[in-house]
Amino acid sequence: MQLIIDQFVSALLEYGEFEEIDRAYLTNKVLGILGRDEYPEAQEINKEVPTWTGDLTEFLVLLDRLAEDAVSRDVIPDSQNMKDRLTGQLVDIMTLSPSAINKKFWSMYEDSPRKATDFFYKWSQLTNYIKTREVAKSPNFLYESPYGPLEITINLSKPEKTTAEIIAEKSAPKVNYPNNFLCVENEGYLGRENYPARSQHRLIRFPLGEQEWALQYSPYAYYNEHCIFLNTSIVPMSVSKESFKRLVEIVSVFPDYFVGSNADLPIVGGSILSHDHYQAGRHTFAMETAPVRESFELIGFPKVEAGIVDWPMSVIRLVSEDKKQLVEAADKVFRSWKEYSDEKVDIIAYTGNTRHHTVTPIARKMNGNYCLDIVLRDNHTSDEHPEGVFHPHRKWHHIKQENIGLIEVMGLAVLPARLAKELAEVEGYLLNQSHDIAQYHREWAEEIKEKHQVTLENCHEIVQNEVGKVFLEVLKDAGVYKDTNEGQEAFRRFVAQL
């Protein structure tokens, strides 16, 4: 442990804004967090410590060893949440204060927005706020669909809780601080048994209209530089003209990122509807590269190009160099869609006073212009589809039954962790090997058997391809206007009344 502590302190000296004179101070900070009253084996601090030559992976291994030491001495319980709490405290030793990291970010921003975000992204990885190793464990593959390459990821990055941890969470006293997982009170929060550690968490603040907003990265990223923009005040999520304006302004400030809002209604909405926020990142999704199928003119908006995107969900693309006209055009589409019904194709705007229509808007810079993709959403239910008419239908629930949110809308499936093991059992079933296939996969597996000559060499690829096909069907289910003659004619009726 003496060697590990010495190496970790050397890493703090290299990565943080410290000098060699700080070694004893840093060592004592580490000892305090580890619950050690003295240096291991009561030896003096060795001035001839090993030279720190490690990379991020080696740094994370040192963190693991320090956490294991604390567990072995009963300083902390053996739970992932409490290990994260301790390692968060350790890296927080070198983490700049919120004010200092903001000064550094905006100083770099004067050179270029890319330089500033590169710094903050790498820092969030270095401090283990972004769980790079956990994210890397998630299987990822592509499905070449008729609409472009759909991305599939099985989300293993969030740690699976043990039964003991779940019981402990349920029995823990209720605490209303922080208010939610997004609010600014998370910045530097130590964490507790039933709440994630955020000691090293930092936010980049900036004005957005008359409000203050903030940038943070997602700890369990689904794609490159997955980040979140959030209102620093706790305001319920909503989609409005102001949303379109904010999205366009954000891509003005951060031109390398797309930014989008989840829809603001249940079934089609995001996971945290209580706090206004957007998701963003430096990633090219298949929907972005999908072409416009049909162009049309929006009367009153001569500077806006408009068209229907060739995509399984129902998307209107608006492009302009004029931000004001673009926002006004998006608002026109949104206001019209909120009130629009077409019962011939089961599109129902209201049931009584309950609204069913909203949109999922996504903004980005494109060849010097501003682009807003407006995805039409409808959350009404029926006897046949009680979870939602435009929600993944029950036939596909063995693969995907959660809401289709912003990320999936753009062509990236985030599938549940259970599938990592379950798909391996499906492969065993297809190969007539020993297996424990879930009952709800059997009908699907039989269909695969009928369609393919499955061999040991091609089985894995076939199963991945079939998962991709299911995701495509899920997107089609969520599309309010189907890619059929009847569906596209109905889409044209909506466009015509615009």
Side-chain angles (χ1 to χ4, degrees):
M1 283 313 300
Q2 184 191 76
L3 178 64
I4 299 226
I5 291 170
D6 286 346
Q7 286 185 325
F8 184 71
V9 170
S10 293
L12 294 178
L13 282 165
E14 177 167 329
Y15 288 146
E17 297 187 353
F18 301 110
E19 297 179 12
E20 184 60 34
I21 196 174
D22 299 313
R23 182 174 291 278
Y25 162 81
L26 292 172
T27 300
N28 287 326
K29 297 290 280 185
V30 172
L31 293 177
I33 292 167
L34 293 177
R36 287 181 172 274
D37 295 329
E38 56 185 4
Y39 202 52
E41 300 178 16
Q43 297 178 40
E44 290 185 9
I45 296 175
N46 180 6
K47 293 187 183 298
E48 295 183 8
V49 295
T51 303
W52 170 248
T53 59
D55 57 11
L56 177 59
T57 302
E58 190 173 338
F59 183 62
L60 297 178
V61 169
L62 290 176
L63 280 173
D64 289 343
R65 294 290 302 278
L66 294 171
E68 289 162 9
D69 172 64
V71 170
S72 71
R73 293 179 296 104
D74 296 324
V75 174
I76 59 170
D78 188 9
S79 77
Q80 190 57 52
N81 207 37
M82 296 306 283
K83 290 177 186 175
D84 286 344
R85 173 172 155 160
L86 181 131
T87 56
Q89 288 177 277
L90 288 168
V91 292
D92 190 45
I93 295 171
M94 68 176 186
T95 304
L96 297 171
S97 69
S99 59
I101 210 159
N102 271 266
K103 284 176 185 175
K104 193 163 188 174
F105 181 94
W106 292 111
S107 173
M108 291 181 171
Y109 185 92
E110 290 179 6
D111 290 339
S112 78
R114 178 70 178 268
K115 185 176 180 181
T117 53
D118 279 353
F119 152 71
F120 189 44
Y121 182 62
K122 288 173 183 173
W123 187 259
S124 298
Q125 289 179 309
L126 174 63
T127 58
N128 201 33
Y129 179 73
I130 298 175
K131 306 296 183 185
T132 52
R133 289 181 304 177
E134 289 80 354
V135 170
K137 294 174 185 174
S138 296
N140 297 280
F141 56 93
L142 292 177
Y143 167 64
E144 294 295 338
S145 83
Y147 300 92
L150 301 180
E151 300 171 85
I152 316 293
T153 182
I154 296 174
N155 181 23
L156 300 181
S157 58
K158 287 188 180 180
E160 189 173 6
K161 292 175 182 174
T162 65
T163 303
E165 286 175 292
I166 292 169
I167 292 170
E169 281 192 14
K170 287 183 177 178
S171 60
K174 298 294 180 187
V175 181
N176 294 322
Y177 184 89
N179 185 280
N180 62 55
F181 292 132
L182 290 177
C183 66
V184 295
E185 287 81 8
N186 287 284
E187 192 172 35
Y189 185 65
L190 179 63
R192 54 184 188 267
E193 186 64 59
N194 61 340
Y195 198 93
R198 291 289 183 262
S199 289
Q200 74 275 46
H201 175 41
R202 299 294 183 265
L203 297 163
I204 301 299
R205 318 294 183 96
F206 64 99
L208 192 58
E210 296 180 357
Q211 299 173 334
E212 182 187 64
W213 279 61
L215 161 67
Q216 69 170 63
Y217 287 101
S218 171
Y220 300 104
Y222 298 144
Y223 50 83
N224 186 44
E225 296 186 41
H226 181 180
C227 57
I228 297 166
F229 290 96
L230 59 102
N231 195 327
T232 59
S233 299
I234 299 173
V235 178
M237 211 180 125
S238 66
V239 176
S240 65
K241 181 178 177 180
E242 280 302 306
S243 305
F244 308 138
K245 186 176 179 180
R246 284 195 290 264
L247 293 174
V248 170
E249 285 304 319
I250 288 172
V251 296
S252 297
V253 179
F254 299 96
D256 295 318
Y257 285 172
F258 82 88
V259 59
S261 171
N262 268 302
D264 58 346
L265 293 178
I267 297 177
V268 296
S271 57
I272 304 178
L273 295 176
S274 61
H275 196 132
D276 210 2
H277 70 285
Y278 307 130
Q279 298 199 59
R282 194 194 311 277
H283 190 77
T284 302
F285 293 89
M287 193 181 84
E288 179 181 336
T289 59
V292 167
R293 179 186 291 162
E294 295 180 29
S295 297
F296 60 89
E297 183 181 352
L298 264 182
I299 305 300
F301 301 98
K303 295 182 180 179
V304 177
E305 298 174 22
I308 297 172
V309 180
D310 188 14
W311 191 244
M313 292 187 70
S314 306
V315 187
I316 290 176
R317 179 166 294 162
L318 305 173
V319 179
S320 180
E321 62 180 2
D322 187 316
K323 291 192 284 187
K324 186 175 180 181
Q325 271 205 23
L326 183 68
V327 169
E328 294 288 348
D331 187 50
K332 178 181 175 70
V333 173
F334 176 50
R335 284 186 291 108
S336 178
W337 174 245
K338 279 200 295 185
E339 307 301 322
Y340 185 83
S341 292
D342 187 344
E343 295 189 12
K344 290 181 181 178
V345 285
D346 207 8
I347 287 174
I348 299 169
Y350 287 88
T351 300
N353 293 323
T354 302
R355 176 168 65 94
H356 294 306
H357 284 180
T358 187
V359 297
T360 301
I362 301 119
R364 62 183 178 277
K365 290 291 288 290
M366 190 171 74
N367 300 324
N369 292 319
Y370 294 92
C371 175
L372 268 172
D373 280 343
I374 309 295
V375 188
L376 308 180
R377 311 300 300 272
D378 177 320
N379 80 342
H380 86 275
T381 61
S382 68
D383 291 340
E384 184 183 1
H385 301 295
E387 295 86 8
V389 173
F390 301 104
H391 180 81
H393 291 172
R394 287 186 172 181
K395 182 178 181 181
W396 317 119
H397 283 192
H398 65 105
I399 299 293
K400 176 72 174 175
Q401 61 180 323
E402 297 91 347
N403 297 358
I404 299 305
L406 170 71
I407 295 169
E408 279 114 350
V409 161
M410 295 186 289
L412 192 162
V414 182
L415 301 180
R418 62 178 171 81
L419 287 177
K421 293 178 181 177
E422 291 178 5
L423 294 179
E425 300 298 338
V426 170
E427 291 182 25
Y429 177 81
L430 295 174
L431 293 167
N432 298 314
Q433 296 175 346
S434 175
H435 64 80
D436 186 21
I437 188 172
Q439 187 61 39
Y440 48 70
H441 287 310
R442 279 187 179 271
E443 183 180 346
W444 178 61
E446 282 299 324
E447 291 174 2
I448 295 173
K449 263 189 176 181
E450 290 175 11
K451 287 192 292 185
H452 299 281
Q453 282 292 114
V454 181
T455 66
L456 190 61
E457 290 72 28
N458 67 14
C459 184
H460 187 61
E461 184 180 353
I462 285 172
V463 170
Q464 287 188 340
N465 238 24
E466 293 297 324
V467 170
K469 289 178 182 177
V470 168
F471 179 51
L472 176 57
E473 292 303 319
V474 160
L475 291 182
K476 289 179 179 179
D477 287 347
V480 295
Y481 292 112
K482 307 307 180 188
D483 193 3
T484 61
N485 289 336
E486 180 189 24
Q488 290 307 298
E489 190 55 43
F491 205 163
R492 293 186 195 102
R493 287 198 296 273
F494 172 68
V495 165
Q497 60 85 43
L498 281 176

mmCIF file of all heavy atoms in Angstrom, residues 1 5 30-38 40 65-77 86:
data_model
loop_
_atom_site.group_PDB
_atom_site.id
_atom_site.type_symbol
_atom_site.label_atom_id
_atom_site.label_comp_id
_atom_site.label_asym_id
_atom_site.label_seq_id
_atom_site.Cartn_x
_atom_site.Cartn_y
_atom_site.Cartn_z
ATOM 1 N N MET A 1 0.825 -1.210 0.000
ATOM 2 C CA MET A 1 0.000 0.000 0.000
ATOM 3 C C MET A 1 0.859 1.260 0.000
ATOM 4 O O MET A 1 0.466 2.277 -0.551
ATOM 5 C CB MET A 1 -0.937 0.016 1.207
ATOM 6 C CG MET A 1 -2.147 -0.894 1.048
ATOM 7 S SD MET A 1 -2.976 -0.716 -0.560
ATOM 8 C CE MET A 1 -3.433 1.009 -0.536
ATOM 9 N N ILE A 5 0.102 4.199 -2.619
ATOM 10 C CA ILE A 5 -0.150 5.572 -2.182
ATOM 11 C C ILE A 5 0.867 6.519 -2.802
ATOM 12 O O ILE A 5 0.532 7.600 -3.292
ATOM 13 C CB ILE A 5 -0.139 5.661 -0.640
ATOM 14 C CG1 ILE A 5 -1.367 4.939 -0.068
ATOM 15 C CG2 ILE A 5 -0.135 7.120 -0.185
ATOM 16 C CD1 ILE A 5 -1.332 4.765 1.443
ATOM 17 N N VAL A 30 -4.689 11.965 1.215
ATOM 18 C CA VAL A 30 -5.047 10.598 0.802
ATOM 19 C C VAL A 30 -5.217 9.713 2.022
ATOM 20 O O VAL A 30 -6.198 8.952 2.133
ATOM 21 C CB VAL A 30 -3.983 10.026 -0.163
ATOM 22 C CG1 VAL A 30 -4.236 8.549 -0.434
ATOM 23 C CG2 VAL A 30 -3.965 10.811 -1.465
ATOM 24 N N LEU A 31 -4.288 9.791 2.971
ATOM 25 C CA LEU A 31 -4.378 8.970 4.188
ATOM 26 C C LEU A 31 -5.680 9.260 4.936
ATOM 27 O O LEU A 31 -6.338 8.347 5.454
ATOM 28 C CB LEU A 31 -3.185 9.241 5.102
ATOM 29 C CG LEU A 31 -1.808 8.796 4.595
ATOM 30 C CD1 LEU A 31 -0.731 9.211 5.582
ATOM 31 C CD2 LEU A 31 -1.765 7.289 4.362
ATOM 32 N N GLY A 32 -6.065 10.520 4.983
ATOM 33 C CA GLY A 32 -7.286 10.887 5.689
ATOM 34 C C GLY A 32 -8.520 10.275 5.056
ATOM 35 O O GLY A 32 -9.396 9.742 5.750
ATOM 36 N N ILE A 33 -8.590 10.314 3.739
ATOM 37 C CA ILE A 33 -9.737 9.734 3.044
ATOM 38 C C ILE A 33 -9.762 8.218 3.204
ATOM 39 O O ILE A 33 -10.821 7.610 3.317
ATOM 40 C CB ILE A 33 -9.709 10.148 1.553
ATOM 41 C CG1 ILE A 33 -9.965 11.657 1.427
ATOM 42 C CG2 ILE A 33 -10.745 9.372 0.735
ATOM 43 C CD1 ILE A 33 -9.666 12.230 0.059
ATOM 44 N N LEU A 34 -8.582 7.601 3.254
ATOM 45 C CA LEU A 34 -8.494 6.151 3.416
ATOM 46 C C LEU A 34 -8.716 5.710 4.863
ATOM 47 O O LEU A 34 -8.734 4.509 5.144
ATOM 48 C CB LEU A 34 -7.129 5.647 2.944
ATOM 49 C CG LEU A 34 -6.827 5.771 1.449
ATOM 50 C CD1 LEU A 34 -5.414 5.300 1.152
ATOM 51 C CD2 LEU A 34 -7.832 4.973 0.629
ATOM 52 N N GLY A 35 -8.866 6.670 5.778
ATOM 53 C CA GLY A 35 -9.070 6.316 7.178
ATOM 54 C C GLY A 35 -7.821 5.753 7.829
ATOM 55 O O GLY A 35 -7.893 4.946 8.756
ATOM 56 N N ARG A 36 -6.669 6.200 7.344
ATOM 57 C CA ARG A 36 -5.391 5.757 7.923
ATOM 58 C C ARG A 36 -4.833 6.875 8.797
ATOM 59 O O ARG A 36 -4.682 8.005 8.335
ATOM 60 C CB ARG A 36 -4.390 5.414 6.824
ATOM 61 C CG ARG A 36 -4.699 4.105 6.090
ATOM 62 C CD ARG A 36 -3.638 3.843 5.028
ATOM 63 N NE ARG A 36 -3.770 2.524 4.426
ATOM 64 C CZ ARG A 36 -3.238 1.416 4.923
ATOM 65 N NH1 ARG A 36 -2.536 1.471 6.048
ATOM 66 N NH2 ARG A 36 -3.394 0.260 4.301
ATOM 67 N N ASP A 37 -4.498 6.556 10.034
ATOM 68 C CA ASP A 37 -3.941 7.561 10.939
ATOM 69 C C ASP A 37 -2.457 7.808 10.678
ATOM 70 O O ASP A 37 -1.903 8.812 11.138
ATOM 71 C CB ASP A 37 -4.129 7.127 12.401
ATOM 72 C CG ASP A 37 -5.597 7.062 12.780
ATOM 73 O OD1 ASP A 37 -6.380 7.863 12.216
ATOM 74 O OD2 ASP A 37 -5.976 6.208 13.601
ATOM 75 N N GLU A 38 -1.823 6.861 10.021
ATOM 76 C CA GLU A 38 -0.392 7.008 9.774
ATOM 77 C C GLU A 38 -0.039 6.357 8.443
ATOM 78 O O GLU A 38 -0.825 5.631 7.858
ATOM 79 C CB GLU A 38 0.411 6.367 10.913
ATOM 80 C CG GLU A 38 0.063 4.901 11.135
ATOM 81 C CD GLU A 38 0.794 4.326 12.339
ATOM 82 O OE1 GLU A 38 1.492 5.086 13.021
ATOM 83 O OE2 GLU A 38 0.654 3.121 12.575
ATOM 84 N N PRO A 40 1.532 3.777 5.899
ATOM 85 C CA PRO A 40 1.615 2.315 6.044
ATOM 86 C C PRO A 40 2.929 1.876 6.685
ATOM 87 O O PRO A 40 4.002 2.350 6.310
ATOM 88 C CB PRO A 40 1.504 1.816 4.606
ATOM 89 C CG PRO A 40 0.724 2.874 3.907
ATOM 90 C CD PRO A 40 1.147 4.170 4.541
ATOM 91 N N ARG A 65 -7.331 -0.013 -6.338
ATOM 92 C CA ARG A 65 -6.552 -0.614 -5.237
ATOM 93 C C ARG A 65 -6.775 0.142 -3.937
ATOM 94 O O ARG A 65 -6.853 -0.457 -2.857
ATOM 95 C CB ARG A 65 -5.059 -0.635 -5.597
ATOM 96 C CG ARG A 65 -4.706 -1.546 -6.772
ATOM 97 C CD ARG A 65 -4.855 -3.020 -6.427
ATOM 98 N NE ARG A 65 -4.016 -3.409 -5.284
ATOM 99 C CZ ARG A 65 -2.721 -3.695 -5.379
ATOM 100 N NH1 ARG A 65 -2.121 -3.667 -6.566
ATOM 101 N NH2 ARG A 65 -2.031 -4.033 -4.304
ATOM 102 N N LEU A 66 -6.872 1.470 -4.022
ATOM 103 C CA LEU A 66 -7.111 2.269 -2.819
ATOM 104 C C LEU A 66 -8.499 1.985 -2.245
ATOM 105 O O LEU A 66 -8.678 1.899 -1.026
ATOM 106 C CB LEU A 66 -6.943 3.756 -3.137
ATOM 107 C CG LEU A 66 -5.514 4.187 -3.511
ATOM 108 C CD1 LEU A 66 -5.502 5.619 -4.015
ATOM 109 C CD2 LEU A 66 -4.566 4.027 -2.333
ATOM 110 N N ALA A 67 -9.486 1.839 -3.125
ATOM 111 C CA ALA A 67 -10.843 1.512 -2.665
ATOM 112 C C ALA A 67 -10.872 0.129 -2.021
ATOM 113 O O ALA A 67 -11.518 -0.073 -0.976
ATOM 114 C CB ALA A 67 -11.813 1.582 -3.835
ATOM 115 N N GLU A 68 -10.174 -0.846 -2.619
ATOM 116 C CA GLU A 68 -10.125 -2.200 -2.059
ATOM 117 C C GLU A 68 -9.471 -2.192 -0.683
ATOM 118 O O GLU A 68 -9.886 -2.932 0.228
ATOM 119 C CB GLU A 68 -9.345 -3.123 -3.009
ATOM 120 C CG GLU A 68 -10.102 -3.449 -4.299
ATOM 121 C CD GLU A 68 -9.180 -3.985 -5.387
ATOM 122 O OE1 GLU A 68 -7.999 -4.249 -5.079
ATOM 123 O OE2 GLU A 68 -9.635 -4.103 -6.542
ATOM 124 N N ASP A 69 -8.452 -1.343 -0.525
ATOM 125 C CA ASP A 69 -7.785 -1.234 0.784
ATOM 126 C C ASP A 69 -8.770 -0.732 1.835
ATOM 127 O O ASP A 69 -8.821 -1.255 2.956
ATOM 128 C CB ASP A 69 -6.597 -0.278 0.670
ATOM 129 C CG ASP A 69 -5.972 0.031 2.024
ATOM 130 O OD1 ASP A 69 -5.444 -0.900 2.662
ATOM 131 O OD2 ASP A 69 -6.048 1.201 2.437
ATOM 132 N N ALA A 70 -9.572 0.284 1.474
ATOM 133 C CA ALA A 70 -10.549 0.832 2.427
ATOM 134 C C ALA A 70 -11.617 -0.207 2.780
ATOM 135 O O ALA A 70 -12.039 -0.307 3.937
ATOM 136 C CB ALA A 70 -11.198 2.081 1.843
ATOM 137 N N VAL A 71 -12.024 -1.014 1.809
ATOM 138 C CA VAL A 71 -12.995 -2.083 2.079
ATOM 139 C C VAL A 71 -12.390 -3.126 3.007
ATOM 140 O O VAL A 71 -13.023 -3.576 3.973
ATOM 141 C CB VAL A 71 -13.467 -2.737 0.759
ATOM 142 C CG1 VAL A 71 -14.269 -4.006 1.040
ATOM 143 C CG2 VAL A 71 -14.302 -1.766 -0.066
ATOM 144 N N SER A 72 -11.141 -3.513 2.737
ATOM 145 C CA SER A 72 -10.490 -4.580 3.518
ATOM 146 C C SER A 72 -10.326 -4.189 4.981
ATOM 147 O O SER A 72 -10.266 -5.049 5.859
ATOM 148 C CB SER A 72 -9.130 -4.925 2.909
ATOM 149 O OG SER A 72 -8.200 -3.873 3.130
ATOM 150 N N ARG A 73 -10.262 -2.885 5.253
ATOM 151 C CA ARG A 73 -10.098 -2.416 6.636
ATOM 152 C C ARG A 73 -11.426 -1.918 7.222
ATOM 153 O O ARG A 73 -11.432 -1.235 8.251
ATOM 154 C CB ARG A 73 -9.027 -1.320 6.693
ATOM 155 C CG ARG A 73 -7.621 -1.829 6.380
ATOM 156 C CD ARG A 73 -6.557 -0.747 6.417
ATOM 157 N NE ARG A 73 -6.782 0.263 5.382
ATOM 158 C CZ ARG A 73 -7.271 1.474 5.600
ATOM 159 N NH1 ARG A 73 -7.600 1.846 6.828
ATOM 160 N NH2 ARG A 73 -7.453 2.325 4.608
ATOM 161 N N ASP A 74 -12.535 -2.236 6.530
ATOM 162 C CA ASP A 74 -13.890 -1.882 6.998
ATOM 163 C C ASP A 74 -14.099 -0.379 7.147
ATOM 164 O O ASP A 74 -14.915 0.078 7.959
ATOM 165 C CB ASP A 74 -14.216 -2.571 8.344
ATOM 166 C CG ASP A 74 -14.263 -4.088 8.205
ATOM 167 O OD1 ASP A 74 -14.720 -4.557 7.145
ATOM 168 O OD2 ASP A 74 -13.839 -4.791 9.149
ATOM 169 N N VAL A 75 -13.366 0.402 6.344
ATOM 170 C CA VAL A 75 -13.587 1.856 6.336
ATOM 171 C C VAL A 75 -14.874 2.177 5.591
ATOM 172 O O VAL A 75 -15.613 3.086 5.970
ATOM 173 C CB VAL A 75 -12.384 2.578 5.685
ATOM 174 C CG1 VAL A 75 -12.652 4.083 5.526
ATOM 175 C CG2 VAL A 75 -11.126 2.349 6.513
ATOM 176 N N ILE A 76 -15.124 1.419 4.516
ATOM 177 C CA ILE A 76 -16.369 1.571 3.758
ATOM 178 C C ILE A 76 -16.963 0.195 3.509
ATOM 179 O O ILE A 76 -16.237 -0.807 3.492
ATOM 180 C CB ILE A 76 -16.141 2.290 2.399
ATOM 181 C CG1 ILE A 76 -15.141 1.509 1.532
ATOM 182 C CG2 ILE A 76 -15.704 3.728 2.598
ATOM 183 C CD1 ILE A 76 -15.038 2.008 0.095
ATOM 184 N N PRO A 77 -18.292 0.116 3.304
ATOM 185 C CA PRO A 77 -18.901 -1.165 2.920
ATOM 186 C C PRO A 77 -18.449 -1.578 1.521
ATOM 187 O O PRO A 77 -18.027 -0.746 0.714
ATOM 188 C CB PRO A 77 -20.409 -0.864 2.924
ATOM 189 C CG PRO A 77 -20.569 0.453 3.593
ATOM 190 C CD PRO A 77 -19.288 1.184 3.435
ATOM 191 N N LEU A 86 -15.699 6.985 -2.295
ATOM 192 C CA LEU A 86 -14.327 7.150 -1.813
ATOM 193 C C LEU A 86 -13.391 7.595 -2.935
ATOM 194 O O LEU A 86 -12.594 8.527 -2.756
ATOM 195 C CB LEU A 86 -13.834 5.843 -1.187
ATOM 196 C CG LEU A 86 -12.408 5.916 -0.628
ATOM 197 C CD1 LEU A 86 -12.345 5.372 0.789
ATOM 198 C CD2 LEU A 86 -11.426 5.152 -1.516
#
